Amino acid sequence: MSTKTASTNNIAQARRTVQQLRMEASIERIKVSKASADLMSYCEEHARNDPLLMGIPTSENPFKDKKTCIIL
Amino acid sequence: MKTRRTLKGHGNKVLCMDWCKDKRRIVSSSQDGKVIVWDSFTTNKEHAVTMPCTWVMACAYAPSGCAIACGGLDNKCSVYPLTFDKNENMAAKKKSVAMHTNYLSACSFTNSDMQILTASGDGTCALWDVESGQLLQSFHGHGADVLCLDLAPSETGNTFVSGGCDKKAMVWDMRSGQCVQAFETHESDINSVRYYPSGDAFASGSDDATCRLYDLRADREVAIYSKESIIFGASSVDFSLSGRLLFAGYNDYTINVWDVLKGSRVSILFGHENRVSTLRVSPDGTAFCSGSWDHTLRTKNYLFVSLQVWA
């Protein structure tokens, strides 16, 4: 009795897996050459605005240690 | 790149951290149950709360900057509103939002303060309404503990990616609860996933000592970042603002910086005395913060001229 329910569960689970796989297999894919070209162009476009890539002037760097103030 | 700030104050291993959208505040959580909010410019602690559990593995800053969420071995995700009133006890205003049947491994607010996405050792992810604590959607499909998640960057984004101990990274539709894509090329637990800034790809860091880049539109892995000399797992990954650099923290106490497009390592950063457990780039990309089991958080910023030579 329990083996029957166990195998029914397995079948149900297997059906769900197959359905999920069918759904995943049917999605539209683009070629890797196009996908990588897009990634590269995104990097090029935004490289100028990337502080960790390009470096920012010390005056604008909020983490640069500032000199102590002198109170006159 | 140099360590610009060292934030000391946790008594035990730092497990997780997150930046506030104001680009200077940081929330961090540790093994001893403490959750601390820091100002990274001054290194001052602004808020601290002790959770009733240890191993607070997940923490997140709300988009408004007015609240934080955290959780861990208590199997819950709790939201604490941040108040500057000295007389208010932060713990008193705590709101329990999420309930899982195993530890909470990751949490993140969605685009607003109103919803939280959680990932748990019980193998599921879930979307909750903060106000009512109601479960809005649950995501089943991982065959083992889910260790990490990241929301897609766009404002209209309705997807998120999760990584787990079943070596799979899965992309989910938040509205339907369905898994739309799954990737299974890692050879061990996936500790960290992070979307590429354009939202078309994501990177993952794993115990198999590699980081990999998966393109969503091509539906496959497109790059592996590994070296024979790197044998310890990657615990945490994040991209620089343009997506050209991938920062990855490893269990061998180092941070490797990878050139995303070339697949080569650009730099290796030393500075922690124990494994790097968490790493996030600030929202404006000017710095990144790494947290470690050596009890500190270091904010690294930099002057990095040699990258010009590579390009």
Side-chain angles (χ1 to χ4, degrees):
Chain A
M1 196 46 185
S2 57
T3 43
K4 201 169 168 197
T5 42
S7 61
T8 334
N9 284 342
N10 283 342
I11 293 177
Q13 199 166 7
R15 280 219 177 94
R16 275 197 300 266
T17 315
V18 168
Q19 201 178 14
Q20 175 69 24
L21 287 171
R22 278 218 179 100
M23 209 187 64
E24 285 177 27
S26 62
I27 65 176
E28 264 185 48
R29 285 178 200 86
I30 65 172
K31 285 195 193 300
V32 174
S33 46
K34 166 94 174 62
S36 7
D38 286 348
L39 288 177
M40 280 172 16
S41 61
Y42 185 93
C43 277
E44 298 294 312
E45 262 178 59
H46 291 85
R48 257 162 287 126
N49 303 331
D50 189 343
L52 285 170
L53 191 65
M54 292 283 140
I56 45 178
T58 315
S59 50
E60 281 176 27
N61 186 346
F63 289 98
K64 192 72 182 165
D65 299 313
K66 304 218 177 359
K67 294 210 186 352
T68 50
C69 304
I70 303 173
I71 300 175
L72 297 166
Chain B
M1 268 172 257
K2 286 171 44 168
T3 301
R4 297 285 171 186
R5 296 285 189 277
T6 301
L7 305 175
K8 286 198 211 250
H10 276 292
N12 216 313
K13 311 179 168 55
V14 174
L15 300 176
C16 186
M17 58 130 315
D18 191 19
W19 287 88
C20 178
K21 286 214 162 46
D22 69 1
K23 311 157 209 165
R24 66 186 276 177
R25 288 188 175 74
I26 289 176
V27 62
S28 63
S29 64
S30 69
Q31 186 198 356
D32 60 3
K34 289 222 169 34
V35 177
I36 302 181
V37 177
W38 315 77
D39 177 337
S40 61
F41 289 1
T42 60
T43 75
N44 288 337
K45 297 187 194 47
E46 295 195 343
H47 299 89
V49 71
T50 306
M51 294 274 288
C53 68
T54 55
W55 287 91
V56 187
M57 291 176 250
C59 61
Y61 227 116
S64 66
C66 298
I68 53 166
C70 50
L73 284 186
D74 57 351
N75 300 357
K76 297 196 278 217
C77 184
S78 310
V79 175
Y80 290 88
L82 294 176
T83 165
F84 282 97
D85 184 347
K86 288 278 187 293
N87 295 329
E88 286 241 25
N89 180 4
M90 238 174 93
K93 293 260 167 134
K94 160 178 161 173
K95 196 186 302 197
S96 260
V97 174
M99 275 293 297
H100 278 279
T101 53
N102 209 327
Y103 65 89
L104 191 83
S105 53
C107 64
S108 173
F109 282 89
T110 58
N111 292 326
S112 76
D113 282 16
M114 294 289 93
Q115 295 184 346
I116 284 195
L117 198 54
T118 57
S120 166
D122 64 12
T124 68
C125 298
L127 181 65
W128 309 82
D129 176 271
V130 173
E131 198 56 48
S132 61
Q134 198 188 6
L135 173 66
L136 297 171
Q137 187 63 263
S138 70
F139 306 91
H140 295 260
H142 274 287
D145 305 16
V146 186
L147 295 179
C148 51
L149 61 80
D150 190 33
L151 274 141
S154 83
E155 280 81 44
T156 56
N158 292 312
T159 60
F160 72 94
V161 59
S162 65
C165 290
D166 57 356
K167 312 176 200 164
K168 286 207 281 216
M170 300 174 86
V171 181
W172 306 86
D173 178 329
M174 276 163 67
R175 283 170 302 186
S176 66
Q178 286 274 14
C179 167
V180 292
Q181 280 172 281
F183 303 90
E184 197 170 351
T185 61
H186 270 294
E187 291 160 22
S188 187
D189 305 358
I190 298 182
N191 296 315
S192 175
V193 286
R194 191 70 62 207
Y195 268 95
Y196 187 79
S198 71
D200 290 331
F202 69 91
S204 59
S206 161
D207 276 347
D208 66 5
T210 67
C211 296
R212 294 175 200 233
L213 186 68
Y214 297 90
D215 189 291
L216 293 170
R217 294 176 309 155
D219 191 33
R220 50 170 289 174
E221 175 190 296
V222 293
I224 301 189
Y225 306 100
S226 67
K227 269 177 116 61
E228 275 192 26
S229 52
I230 301 178
I231 55 174
F232 282 82
S235 61
S236 190
V237 298
D238 202 358
F239 284 100
S240 67
L241 208 61
S242 67
R244 183 66 192 262
L245 299 176
L246 179 70
F247 297 92
Y250 289 77
N251 293 338
D252 62 2
Y253 317 173
T254 65
I255 295 168
N256 286 302
V257 186
W258 299 91
D259 181 320
V260 171
L261 301 180
K262 294 189 184 165
S264 53
R265 180 171 65 186
V266 161
S267 168
I268 178 167
L269 302 170
F270 302 93
H272 280 292
E273 290 143 29
N274 207 319
R275 59 168 75 179
V276 179
S277 52
T278 178
L279 190 157
R280 295 294 285 265
V281 172
S282 74
D284 61 355
T286 52
F288 74 89
C289 181
S290 59
S292 158
W293 283 17
D294 67 5
H295 315 179
T296 64
L297 290 174
R298 285 176 205 272
T299 319
K300 289 186 200 290
N301 197 326
Y302 94 96
L303 288 181
F304 203 35
V305 178
S306 64
L307 186 58
Q308 311 268 352
V309 175
W310 289 82

